[in-house]
Amino acid sequence: MDLASVSADLAALRQRALAAVADADDLKELEAAETAFVGRKQGALTAVLRGIGALPAEDRPRVGAIANEVREAVEEAIAERRARLAAIALEVRLAAERVDVTLPGRPLRRGSLHPLVETTREIARIFGQFGFVVYESPEVETDSLNFQALNIPADHPARDLWDTLYVDAPTNDGDRLLLRTHTSPGQMRVMRQTRPPIRALLPGRCFRHEAVDASHGFEFFQVEGLMVDEGTTMAHLRGLLDEFAHALFGAGRPTRFRPGYYPFTEPSVAFDIQCVVCDGGGCPACGRSGWMTILGAGMVHPVVLRNGGIDPEVYQGFAFGMGIDRIAMLRYGINDIRYFLENDARFLEQF
Ligand code: PHE
């Protein structure tokens, strides 16, 4: 053992160590190289240093200095490699998690208004231009507001016009609860809570004990109109409904009044528009008559005004009630009322 051979060993060791460090592909390999070459107990460098005692005393500091240099060089290389491996790991991760910001975004799924809601809003918009304001009124109603206050006494045969679904729940005053058969009880609520002049619109869901078919639902929608003021006449009603029909079905669409009957209006009428399918020629859609009835209307019965707390000697009023489903069917050419409440996306997506 002499200085020259120990120096050569250390130089060789340094080379092998640096090569191993450079070859380490991950932290595990790097740590294995660290233990193998510069590990305090088992490392190759330690093994060389153990042999130092066999050297002449004057050579030992020289060998110690070289050994330290080797250790420092190897440890520095390990630190660099460790940093490099960390950087590589980060790059790999970034590449894996890369986001291509140039890709088109996922389209947002937008809903659309239900055709009945859209139609209700359009009706409210048109009447809104004439000063009508939308009110809400409950779907579960009392017998007294749905019928009695509207001039339909308990055993009156006119009740047969509205097949009713009763609610089996007790009330404080013995009044029966039912699912409202029309929006007309809303007239009473508006009259009792506001003063004339009144221009009210009451859209909402109604219910009847009905055999369901393509044109009858047991659940359907109406919008009620009510105007009460001094000097209100049938001419105002006629003019307003004409404006409405023209706004919704086209300017110049012919309209007509036919005599009708409702206990809460006097006189009562049915309001027809010329058939929008055949333009009056006669077709299955209009029963070959050339006309379609879109609402019932009339001058508010004095008894009804009085029940609403309004003096019929001072004020007059008109009211109308139309089926929103029917209007929507005409607007969109829908031939079965049941589509509206079936929640079939294939139907709803078309609007
Ligand atoms: N409520 C009546 C119905 O459901 C419609 C109507 C309303 C008629 C207002 C006249 C006045 O058939």
Side-chain angles (χ1 to χ4, degrees):
M1 185 64 95
D2 59 15
L3 178 57
S5 74
V6 174
S7 300
D9 282 354
L10 284 172
L13 188 152
R14 174 193 176 118
Q15 285 228 328
R16 277 186 288 122
L18 291 181
V21 168
D23 281 350
D25 285 329
D26 56 35
L27 272 184
K28 232 177 118 188
E29 283 181 36
L30 186 62
E31 275 160 15
E34 187 172 31
T35 313
F37 293 102
V38 292
R40 300 280 161 188
K41 284 183 185 158
Q42 317 271 310
L45 190 61
T46 306
V48 171
L49 290 177
R50 272 200 199 106
I52 228 172
L55 287 177
E58 66 271 24
D59 288 341
R60 287 180 200 162
R62 179 83 192 102
V63 171
I66 296 173
N68 273 339
E69 220 183 270
V70 170
R71 178 182 297 282
E72 272 165 32
V74 173
E75 282 177 350
E76 193 177 312
I78 288 172
E80 268 169 27
R81 186 67 190 151
R82 185 171 274 124
R84 178 74 196 120
L85 286 176
I88 289 171
L90 185 63
E91 268 169 42
V92 168
R93 202 178 132 203
L94 284 177
E97 296 176 5
R98 187 188 159 90
V99 175
D100 184 349
V101 294
T102 66
L103 282 176
R106 279 190 207 110
L108 288 179
R109 274 178 60 94
R110 283 184 64 181
S112 57
L113 289 180
H114 190 283
L116 290 176
V117 173
E118 196 275 330
T119 299
T120 304
R121 290 195 184 178
E122 179 61 7
I123 293 169
R125 188 191 67 78
I126 295 168
F127 285 107
Q129 292 177 326
F130 297 94
F132 282 74
V133 173
V134 172
Y135 287 77
E136 283 187 347
S137 188
E139 292 171 2
V140 177
E141 194 44 282
T142 60
D143 185 291
S144 67
L145 290 188
N146 193 82
F147 290 128
Q148 294 166 50
L150 293 174
N151 205 23
I152 311 168
D155 297 311
H156 197 281
R159 288 208 179 205
D160 293 348
L161 293 173
W162 294 276
D163 289 323
T164 312
L165 297 161
Y166 286 93
V167 176
D168 200 5
T171 55
N172 293 333
D173 52 7
D175 210 349
R176 284 187 85 177
L177 292 177
L178 47 80
L179 300 183
R180 66 174 174 194
T181 58
H182 50 180
T183 43
S184 299
Q187 288 186 35
M188 200 50 58
R189 291 178 178 272
V190 171
M191 284 191 274
R192 288 181 182 176
Q193 98 190 20
T194 62
R195 295 286 89 204
I198 292 170
R199 291 183 202 182
L201 220 51
L202 292 136
R205 198 184 294 260
C206 303
F207 310 83
R208 286 184 199 176
H209 182 71
E210 196 86 68
V212 174
D213 63 24
S215 51
H216 296 85
F218 66 86
E219 195 180 355
F220 57 97
F221 290 77
Q222 282 192 341
V223 57
E224 191 84 6
L226 173 69
M227 170 152 173
V228 180
D229 204 348
E230 288 178 60
T232 305
T233 72
M234 200 99 171
H236 296 130
L237 172 63
R238 181 71 209 254
L240 177 69
L241 293 181
D242 267 0
E243 291 293 337
F244 169 73
H246 294 159
L248 206 57
F249 297 108
R253 167 83 28 202
T255 64
R256 72 178 185 187
F257 269 180
R258 275 187 303 120
Y261 170 71
Y262 298 100
F264 34 90
T265 46
E266 179 60 35
S268 302
V269 294
F271 181 67
D272 298 351
I273 57 170
Q274 191 186 62
C275 178
V276 296
V277 178
C278 65
D279 285 333
C283 70
C286 58
R288 317 216 171 271
S289 71
W291 295 92
M292 297 175 141
T293 301
I294 61 168
L295 57 86
M299 300 306 291
V300 181
H301 199 290
V303 166
V304 173
L305 285 174
R306 229 175 268 124
N307 286 338
I310 290 170
D311 183 355
E313 299 299 330
V314 180
Y315 296 103
Q316 299 75 43
F318 62 70
F320 57 85
M322 82 179 104
I324 297 173
D325 308 65
R326 187 87 207 285
I327 302 283
M329 288 168 82
L330 292 178
R331 290 180 81 209
Y332 295 117
I334 296 164
N335 56 16
D336 194 319
I337 196 171
R338 289 170 288 199
Y339 286 129
F340 288 127
L341 296 180
E342 276 175 352
N343 268 346
D344 187 332
R346 291 169 302 178
F347 171 74
L348 295 173
E349 271 166 7
Q350 296 175 49
F351 301 94

